[in-house]
Amino acid sequence: MSTPADSKLLAWDETSGQRTLTVRGDWTLDNYVALGEQIACLRPEVGDSTAAQGNIDLTGLGALDTSGASRLYELLGGELVGKVSTSGSGLSAERRALLQTVAKAMEAAEQPARRRARGALIELFGRAGLALEAFWRELHTLLGFVGFTLEALGQSLFRPRRWRLTSVVAQIETTGLDAVPIICLLNFLVGAVIVFLGATVLAEFGATIYTVNLVTFAFLRELAVLLTAILMAGRTASTFTAELGSMKINEEIDAMEVLGLSPVNLLVLPRVLALLVSLPILTFLAMIAGILGGALVCALQLNISPAMFVSIFHDQIELRHFFVGMSKAPVFAFVIAVIGCLEGMKVSGSALSVGRHTTASVVHSIFVVILLDSVAALFFMEMGW
């Protein structure tokens, strides 16, 4: 039978002339709360010299389980529990083993986990390994989503009824037409800066006239498409991620899937197709704006008239440079749109997730664009284009 909760399970006995702590009754889960209250009252006196000498009477102890053993450890502490767990304490072997096991477990739980010290080199390689694993995982996900998008595009290409022309036109207006002012202004200013820098260096060699070649060559092959792609990565990829992320949080995408509609066909493909149309057009406008900015500075600062500028441009700059720059635009457009949509699809849970994935879409888009541009530059150089 269990001991009533209001009975004394702990008491001091001084009848023998020596103060002894008497433990009696059932130390089980049923009396766990009552034991905690009585221990709180007696704990300040248990650690004195009398109790430390081992004057503890356990002969009245009734039933004992792990909860009662934990209360004994709480009352006596590890040192006294070790004393009463010896063979001379009057406890059975089973109870001594139980006390020792519970004491070891509670001592281990009380000790803070010791973190194994690692060297700086091991820590460096560990972080590099984690970063490489994360990069590989992101690359694998991106390639899978690219394949999924291309599959959906191929299935819809020869089915005009599945084309979302209204959505595509609306996205072209948002991603292309609305971006024309900022694209033209930025490239115009960069073209002017390129001419200033080029003229400063070339003037020392008496070759100021070659500033025309520098600015036209740079914008036709590299700067126009690269600056436009970076701006679109910051402007459009983030928009795609925020839009799809908000729809994901509001469970609109889940509702589409429940209705048997494909989110890729409805949401991803219109954005990809719109950017495939917009980015080459914006790149062409960026080339014109950059060259006009350079021509203006040449006319005002270098005494190179617009007629002379156009004559040099016509005679010395080959058409292939224009095609080299324009060939990169569709690739950059596809990559930016896919990354922006992918990060939007990965949003889950909260507005914080939207912010994180929006940032990730911009960073990843710019990184991939610059990486592809570097690879393309090496390829064209080796091919002699």
Side-chain angles (χ1 to χ4, degrees), residues 1-250:
M1 294 179 61
S2 62
T3 305
D6 57 350
S7 63
K8 282 289 186 179
L9 301 172
L10 284 170
W12 289 107
D13 185 5
E14 300 181 1
T15 56
S16 61
Q18 188 176 15
R19 205 176 191 204
T20 302
L21 180 64
T22 303
V23 176
R24 55 196 176 197
D26 296 338
W27 285 56
T28 58
L29 184 61
D30 294 336
N31 298 322
Y32 190 79
V33 176
L35 286 168
E37 296 173 353
Q38 296 181 31
I39 289 172
C41 296
L42 293 178
R43 185 184 293 114
E45 305 179 48
V46 173
D48 63 7
S49 58
T50 303
Q53 294 174 2
N55 297 324
I56 302 171
D57 183 11
L58 299 175
T59 55
L61 180 62
L64 179 68
D65 59 10
T66 53
S67 60
S70 66
R71 283 302 193 190
L72 271 177
Y73 179 86
E74 182 182 346
L75 171 67
L76 304 177
E79 183 179 354
L80 292 180
V81 167
K83 290 182 179 180
V84 300
S85 299
T86 58
S87 57
S89 62
L91 293 176
S92 63
E94 293 81 3
R95 292 189 173 183
R96 293 199 305 269
L98 177 61
L99 278 175
Q100 293 171 358
T101 303
V102 171
K104 290 179 181 179
M106 296 189 71
E107 287 175 358
E110 290 175 356
Q111 294 178 354
R114 294 183 179 179
R115 185 177 179 181
R116 183 180 177 183
R118 295 185 294 182
L121 188 61
I122 297 177
E123 189 73 20
L124 175 63
F125 281 117
R127 289 180 177 270
L130 292 175
L132 185 60
E133 181 183 4
F135 173 77
W136 174 254
R137 187 166 54 250
E138 291 289 340
L139 180 61
H140 183 270
T141 304
L142 176 61
L143 292 177
F145 193 75
V146 167
F148 196 40
T149 304
L150 290 176
E151 180 187 6
L153 181 61
Q155 292 175 353
S156 302
L157 192 61
F158 301 104
R159 298 179 182 179
R161 293 183 178 180
R162 300 180 65 177
W163 295 356
R164 306 285 176 176
L165 294 180
T166 304
S167 299
V168 173
V169 172
Q171 291 295 332
I172 289 175
E173 180 183 3
T174 303
T175 61
L177 186 60
D178 294 346
V180 169
I182 185 64
I183 294 293
C184 292
L185 177 61
L186 177 68
N187 283 273
F188 182 86
L189 296 177
V190 172
V193 171
I194 292 295
V195 171
F196 274 120
L197 295 177
T200 302
V201 176
L202 295 175
E204 299 180 1
F205 304 96
T208 307
I209 193 67
Y210 288 104
T211 306
V212 178
N213 302 66
L214 173 64
V215 67
T216 53
F217 184 85
F219 270 91
L220 289 179
R221 291 185 68 98
E222 293 293 338
L223 289 182
V225 64
L226 188 60
L227 290 175
T228 303
I230 291 175
L231 274 177
M232 296 303 285
R235 182 181 183 276
T236 305
S238 60
T239 301
F240 289 172
T241 303
E243 290 175 349
L244 297 184
S246 299
M247 296 179 69
K248 193 72 179 295
I249 290 178
N250 295 330

Side-chain angles (χ1 to χ4, degrees), residues 274-298:
L275 206 56
L276 284 173
V277 174
S278 300
L279 191 57
I281 297 175
L282 291 174
T283 300
F284 178 72
L285 295 176
M287 291 177 180
I288 296 175
I291 293 173
L292 287 178
L296 180 63
V297 176
C298 287

